Amino acid sequence: MQPLLQLIRRHKSGENVGVYSVCSAHPWVLESAIRFAKERNSSVLIEATSNQVNQFGGYTGMQPADFREMVWKIADKIGFPRERVWLGGDHLGPNAWQNRSTQEAMRLSEILIYDYVAAGFRKIHLDCSMSCADDPVPLNDEIVASRAARLCQVAEHSWKEHGGELPVYVIGTEVPVPGGARESMEEMQITSPQAAETTLKVHQHAWQEHGLADVWSRVIGLVVQPGVEFDHHNVKHYNSAKAQALSQFIETVPYLVYEAHSTDYQTLRVYRELVRDHFAILKVGPALTFALREGLFALDKLDREWNGELNAAHLHSTLEQIMHEQPQHWSPYYKGSAHQQYIDRQYSLSDRIRYYWAEPEAEAAVNNLLNNLRNNPIPLSMLSQYLPEQAEAVKEGRLEHDPKVWVMDKVRTVLRQYALACEEQSEGAGA
């Protein structure tokens, strides 16, 4: 059986299990995730979004086959079996082409879906909730479902042409925009059971209308808002009691669980509660690159103090300069005074700095930083000041004395919380 189908059916049969999805294109994050899966002898779910990766390259410059090859190259280097890397596509639909007409945006979406499935992506989030240039705002459920079914037809056609494991599908969308809330989190509403039921009924009808009735059993997830979100500097934590009606509704639906987006920065206890309450697919993205950024900025501080300002790589100031010169990825999101924008650029939980790591100047600064700290290794006394957990692990022999390893261990710390939550827990298991 398709491994994700099998996992979801284990959950529906009463096992307290889930899966976390690594939504990042940063090679160090992906390497951390694959190494961690190897360490735990498990599989790893890695997803690309339609903005990151599409037929035009997205903001990463990668098409779906390029992203797959990058992930496989990392897996091969580590000695991790390719078949245990599960690839998914997130928010696949007209998202990247909302400024085009419906006809053009859907045509481009069909190419997008076809290419993702052809490249071996097997968890496909069909998201047609966004309005195109000539659409009403917002779209009604019937239009959204009909467009999603149309894209599902394309996915099935691509799979039949290229073979491989059966694709599985996720439908629906969270209310806040992907990647963190832009409006007040106090305005955020938990999805009602009635809204979830309507979404499912309308989509199932659309599947039948498009000749996809036999594919409906491979729709494994419904994206809803369980009451988790973050903005630039605050986190709204999950409240299980408030989500009980929504949680209980999905128990009546065969084969389906909820998919929760923007679960970044919650606690291990919360992740376990989410899985228990059937939000069994947990998406994580910015928290991983936030941890990466924390680690690299700590190294930058160490480099400047240990090697001196004249010889330092100056990663922090290099990134700040790049973001000033290319503001398109942060300026629509970070408002307020010049100082507040500076704080947000460097420390926001939405971590829009993640869009800049692939810039040549940033890559050069990271490489110079690593070379500086490898050529002139820092003492544990200084490492302890900025990366105390990693210093302790080095002291105990659990980590190598290498700056890249320390940063990747920061990412691993985030992954570990998700992994512990997604493994079966007995009733009353603590954090």
Side-chain angles (χ1 to χ4, degrees):
M1 182 184 288
Q2 210 270 10
L4 273 170
L5 268 178
Q6 186 177 30
L7 186 143
I8 297 306
R9 293 188 181 185
R10 283 176 58 201
H11 181 94
K12 296 297 287 188
S13 69
E15 293 186 54
N16 203 16
V17 295
V19 62
Y20 63 93
S21 171
V22 175
C23 302
S24 178
H26 195 288
W28 289 20
V29 169
L30 299 179
E31 183 177 343
S32 296
I34 294 171
R35 286 189 182 278
F36 185 60
K38 182 180 181 182
E39 173 190 323
R40 299 183 78 82
N41 193 29
S42 63
S43 297
V44 60
L45 173 58
I46 295 171
E47 298 203 45
T49 71
S50 54
N51 282 326
Q52 282 176 330
V53 175
N54 59 45
Q55 61 266 42
F56 302 108
Y59 70 75
T60 63
M62 287 185 284
Q63 297 180 11
D66 301 324
F67 185 86
R68 176 201 65 203
E69 290 303 315
M70 177 184 70
V71 172
W72 279 357
K73 185 177 180 180
I74 295 169
D76 291 347
K77 179 182 76 171
I78 294 168
F80 189 75
R82 291 181 176 184
E83 62 270 19
R84 281 166 53 190
V85 179
W86 305 339
L87 293 176
D90 194 27
H91 293 289
L92 301 186
N95 188 41
W97 305 291
Q98 295 177 56
N99 62 339
R100 313 280 186 99
S101 69
T102 300
Q103 183 178 0
E104 185 178 4
M106 286 300 293
R107 180 182 63 81
L108 293 170
S109 300
E110 289 178 343
I111 297 169
L112 175 77
I113 294 284
Y114 183 92
D115 288 353
Y116 263 80
V117 176
F121 290 72
R122 287 297 177 266
K123 177 181 175 291
I124 304 297
H125 176 205
L126 301 168
D127 183 8
C128 295
S129 61
M130 58 291 297
S131 296
C132 300
D134 53 354
D135 275 331
V137 181
L139 296 176
N140 64 40
D141 289 330
E142 287 74 19
I143 293 174
V144 172
S146 178
R147 291 178 183 177
R150 175 179 163 184
L151 295 184
C152 186
Q153 285 181 316
V154 174
E156 289 292 298
H157 173 65
S158 182
W159 165 64
K160 287 171 183 174
E161 275 198 5
H162 295 92
E165 286 183 338
L166 290 162
V168 296
Y169 300 100
V170 173
I171 59 173
T173 192
E174 74 273 43
V175 175
V177 295
R182 292 171 68 176
E183 70 280 355
S184 167
M185 290 192 293
E186 298 307 314
E187 301 168 6
M188 185 185 62
Q189 298 293 320
I190 296 173
T191 303
S192 69
Q194 295 76 20
E197 182 177 22
T198 297
T199 298
L200 285 176
K201 284 183 175 178
V202 172
H203 276 75
Q204 186 169 12
H205 178 72
W207 257 239
Q208 292 168 345
E209 290 288 301
H210 286 75
L212 297 166
D214 59 332
V215 180
W216 183 252
S217 62
R218 284 190 271 124
V219 177
I220 62 168
L222 171 64
V223 179
V224 292
Q225 175 49 264
V228 298
E229 193 49 81
F230 58 91
D231 59 18
H232 298 320
H233 303 288
N234 302 284
V235 178
K236 187 174 183 65
H237 293 287
Y238 177 63
N239 184 325
S240 177
K242 292 183 177 180
Q244 279 309 295
L246 182 61
S247 171
Q248 290 165 13
F249 164 72
I250 205 68
E251 294 175 356
T252 68
V253 182
Y255 309 132
L256 265 156
V257 298
Y258 292 127
E259 177 168 290
H261 292 211
S262 299
T263 67
D264 309 68
Y265 311 111
Q266 302 286 321
T267 65
L268 174 55
R269 177 186 59 79
V270 161
Y271 295 135
R272 284 178 167 163
E273 289 177 351
L274 282 164
V275 172
R276 180 200 66 201
D277 292 347
H278 313 305
F279 304 95
I281 306 173
L282 303 176
K283 307 294 284 291
V284 56
L288 298 169
T289 46
F290 186 89
L292 176 102
R293 194 254 336 140
E294 279 188 325
L296 284 168
F297 277 15
L299 296 186
D300 184 68
K301 287 276 193 181
L302 286 163
D303 182 35
R304 290 167 58 196
E305 290 196 22
W306 180 239
N307 290 309
E309 294 288 345
L310 185 62
N311 298 312
H314 294 288
L315 173 63
H316 186 285
S317 57
T318 298
L319 279 165
E320 177 66 5
Q321 181 66 31
I322 295 169
M323 294 177 82
H324 266 295
E325 293 171 354
Q326 302 179 43
Q328 67 272 20
H329 295 306
W330 63 265
S331 59
Y333 302 87
Y334 299 157
K335 305 300 182 182
S337 68
H339 180 66
Q340 184 61 52
Q341 289 179 4
Y342 167 79
I343 294 296
D344 290 344
R345 280 195 301 272
Q346 305 304 321
Y347 304 111
S348 168
L349 295 174
S350 65
D351 187 48
R352 303 202 69 82
I353 209 168
R354 71 186 186 274
Y355 291 89
Y356 297 90
W357 290 115
E359 292 296 322
E361 297 90 343
E363 289 189 334
V366 169
N367 288 332
N368 290 338
L369 176 62
L370 294 180
N371 288 334
N372 282 354
L373 296 176
R374 284 168 174 164
N375 293 334
N376 188 21
I378 61 172
L380 274 176
S381 57
M382 289 186 70
L383 181 61
S384 181
Q385 175 66 34
Y386 294 102
L387 292 169
E389 293 179 8
Q390 286 66 40
E392 191 65 23
V394 170
K395 191 190 307 180
E396 294 174 358
R398 292 185 285 111
L399 281 186
E400 299 172 47
H401 200 293
D402 182 81
K404 181 180 176 182
V405 171
W406 304 334
V407 175
M408 290 175 61
D409 188 64
K410 292 276 290 181
V411 177
R412 180 188 177 279
T413 300
V414 178
L415 294 168
R416 184 174 182 274
Q417 288 191 308
Y418 280 90
L420 290 174
C422 289
E423 295 167 354
E424 185 167 24
Q425 302 291 325
S426 60
E427 285 298 318

